[in-house]
Amino acid sequence: MSDDQILRLEIVVFPDEGRPSMFAEGVYPSVATVNDFAANPSRQIECARKLGVRDFTIDKIGRFSISASIEAEKFKEFFETELVEEERADDERSLAPPPGAAFRVPEIDGLETIIERAYVQRPPHYFAGERILPPDSVPPFGDDKFRLRVPDDVALLMQARTVHQRGIFGRGVTVAMPDNGFFKHPYFDAHGYNYLAIAAPDAIDYETDLSGHGTGISANLLAVAPGVNFIGIKQVNKTLGFKTAVEMGPDVISCSWAAELEENSPTLPNNLKPFHLTVLDAIARGIVVCVAAGNGGVKGFPGSIPEVISVGGVHVDRDLNYRASDHTSGFDSTWFPGRQTPDLCGLCGSKAEEDYITLPVPQAAHGGSAARDGWFAFSGSSSATPMVAGICALLKEVKPSLSPQEIKNLLKYTARDITEGMNANGRKARPGPDGAVGYGLADAARAVDAVT
């Protein structure tokens, strides 16, 4: 059975009497109320047991939903529904019931009285924004084109170098990154990073990273906070991947992808509500969550959740001119009225210079040749987000008691104001907070100075 014929699901049991349903009309969970939506563990265990003997693989029982997997044909038979192949912006294949399709929980062993909803989880949209290095390049910086290098250039422009000189590296802080794989590139060992890769329960072979996405962007995090305990989590079901990240007990979670794009629905779709609650639960536990705002004008969730730190992009050229990147997104959310992204920015390429940051990747990622194996040029909010997550880690080392909201406020009000340029949604940078870059380029030194 090929992987694209396996469906990943989030299954939600009925809440106890007197408890709210996450699917009820007019219900808007928040960090303050997220615990009200926690499922009854006994009911979840009963549900998981009954599904487990009917060809479902139970991957994890979470606080709000059960993560499970099943073959597509068996899903159709069990729920008496149909599946169609959906078109996605990233050309990935996705199977799910079409809108309005008949769907029922079968009256078997009382499951119809236990299961409230079951939703197929679509693959994440990874914000790549990458371009292969020219064939004659000698990695990592082999021609005269202006590109940033890790760790030095990223640490310098994010103002992390002066923080490192004060002996602050993010030591004792754990940062988790759910993504598509993490190859143990020799670069990480050469710099002595605390680099751990694992797989979520529905993923295998965590070191296989065919695109180089997770491997590459992790280097940006470690350039800013080289002393952190890094955990890369290979995911398939993004809700399960995020659950796994939370279980690792991190201080910070960095997400360079979207669970869904807001263009698909005027309100938050039901299939994303278990994931929404999982993110809110992480923040309620004191975990800082940094999320890419998106590339190319897309409106990405969970970057639009008001409680996360939404990260856009600022481009810096060889003459140290700073301007909003026209490659990254900034938008008003339709799902969360009043929410504007991004909150602030990391470093990013532009449409003219997408091959902007040279990062380590697995050999032959993206069909690499011998001249460029092991290195790749990145851009986009995928690369910018881990830089901001790295600054969050530096702040947590200095003052571990800082809450996610306190860190978000510190980053916003210590950011470098960017007054030039336009983002991918046509929003112009101007003095003060704006829709292009939020509060500006995150500044590690100013943020740390504010708490020391």
Side-chain angles (χ1 to χ4, degrees):
M1 179 66 61
S2 64
D3 190 62
D4 61 4
Q5 293 176 294
I6 300 293
L7 299 183
R8 272 71 184 188
L9 314 175
E10 291 298 319
I11 299 167
V12 179
V13 301
F14 281 106
D16 289 343
E17 185 176 355
R19 305 276 285 187
S21 167
M22 68 179 76
F23 305 110
E25 187 175 350
V27 169
Y28 303 99
S30 67
V31 169
T33 65
V34 66
N35 288 332
D36 296 342
F37 298 89
N40 182 319
S42 296
R43 185 170 294 174
Q44 286 188 303
I45 291 170
E46 180 186 4
C47 180
R49 178 182 60 80
K50 292 180 176 180
L51 290 174
V53 298
R54 288 173 173 82
D55 297 319
F56 288 81
T57 297
I58 305 303
D59 296 310
K60 188 177 293 293
I61 299 177
R63 292 198 70 208
F64 310 99
S65 60
I66 300 166
S67 299
S69 306
I70 191 170
E71 294 175 11
E73 288 301 318
K74 292 180 178 179
F75 174 90
K76 290 165 57 178
E77 179 182 353
F78 187 84
F79 290 111
E80 297 183 10
T81 189
E82 58 181 313
L83 295 170
V84 296
E85 186 171 327
E86 299 179 326
E87 293 185 8
R88 288 165 47 91
D90 53 12
D91 296 326
E92 290 289 333
R93 190 178 170 192
S94 180
L95 286 174
F103 186 96
R104 62 181 294 271
V105 178
E107 297 179 4
I108 300 174
D109 204 10
L111 281 170
E112 74 280 4
T113 68
I114 301 174
I115 298 174
E116 182 180 19
R117 303 285 178 91
Y119 288 106
V120 174
Q121 299 297 291
R122 298 170 177 85
H125 299 261
Y126 289 102
F127 296 134
E130 306 154 350
R131 187 186 301 163
I132 295 174
L133 288 170
D136 58 351
S137 294
V138 179
F141 207 69
D143 57 24
D144 60 357
K145 182 175 175 60
F146 178 73
R147 298 190 188 94
L148 302 185
R149 294 168 289 186
V150 288
D152 296 342
D153 293 342
V154 169
L156 178 66
L157 291 174
M158 296 300 293
Q159 300 298 320
R161 177 176 289 180
T162 58
V163 179
H164 300 164
Q165 291 170 346
R166 296 166 56 184
I168 301 167
F169 300 95
R171 292 192 182 101
V173 178
T174 299
V175 181
M177 179 183 290
D179 212 279
N180 66 343
F182 298 88
F183 173 70
K184 193 67 177 293
H185 194 284
Y187 168 86
F188 300 115
D189 282 336
H191 286 82
Y193 296 138
N194 301 314
Y195 194 97
L196 173 67
I198 64 172
D202 64 341
I204 58 173
D205 192 12
Y206 52 80
E207 288 197 352
T208 298
D209 180 6
L210 297 179
S211 72
H213 189 269
T215 304
I217 62 173
S218 67
N220 282 328
L221 164 70
L222 294 163
V224 175
V228 300
N229 300 314
F230 174 77
I231 305 175
I233 300 151
K234 183 169 183 175
Q235 65 180 1
V236 180
N237 172 355
K238 72 269 185 181
T239 309
L240 177 55
F242 198 92
K243 288 180 187 177
T244 306
V246 172
E247 286 190 350
M248 296 297 103
D251 301 282
V252 182
I253 296 177
S254 181
C255 298
S256 290
W257 42 269
E260 199 58 84
L261 305 183
E262 287 203 11
E263 289 90 341
N264 296 341
S265 170
T267 58
L268 181 66
N270 282 337
N271 69 290
L272 292 176
K273 290 182 178 179
F275 180 66
H276 180 212
L277 288 171
T278 303
V279 174
L280 293 179
D281 182 53
I283 297 170
R285 293 171 185 241
I287 301 171
V288 182
V289 180
C290 298
V291 184
N295 299 343
V298 301
K299 298 180 178 181
F301 168 91
S304 57
I305 296 176
E307 293 87 350
V308 307
I309 297 173
S310 177
V311 182
V314 167
H315 182 260
V316 183
D317 65 21
R318 67 172 71 239
D319 298 316
L320 295 183
N321 296 309
Y322 292 71
R323 60 189 296 110
S325 170
D326 59 0
H327 186 50
T328 55
S329 302
F331 58 91
D332 294 324
S333 173
T334 55
W335 295 352
F336 302 96
R339 171 55 160 157
Q340 179 178 278
T341 69
D343 293 305
L344 41 86
C345 294
L347 301 170
C348 174
S350 65
K351 288 182 178 178
E353 291 184 305
E354 289 184 71
D355 50 337
Y356 184 60
I357 308 173
T358 307
L359 299 174
V361 298
Q363 290 190 349
H366 286 280
S369 68
R372 58 179 182 262
D373 266 352
W375 293 91
F376 203 79
F378 280 64
S379 187
S381 54
S382 279
S383 294
T385 301
M387 301 177 196
V388 174
I391 299 179
C392 296
L394 298 177
L395 289 169
K396 289 293 283 188
E397 178 187 352
V398 173
K399 193 173 181 180
S401 63
L402 288 171
S403 70
Q405 187 60 52
E406 288 171 331
I407 286 180
K408 184 174 181 176
N409 290 339
L410 276 167
L411 293 178
K412 284 165 43 173
Y413 293 108
T414 59
R416 174 175 181 152
D417 194 16
I418 304 299
T419 60
E420 301 292 333
M422 179 187 298
N423 73 1
N425 295 85
R427 301 196 170 192
K428 294 182 180 180
R430 55 177 174 76
D434 56 59
V437 295
Y439 282 73
L441 180 63
D443 187 309
R446 291 178 63 182
V448 169
D449 284 346
V451 294
T452 54

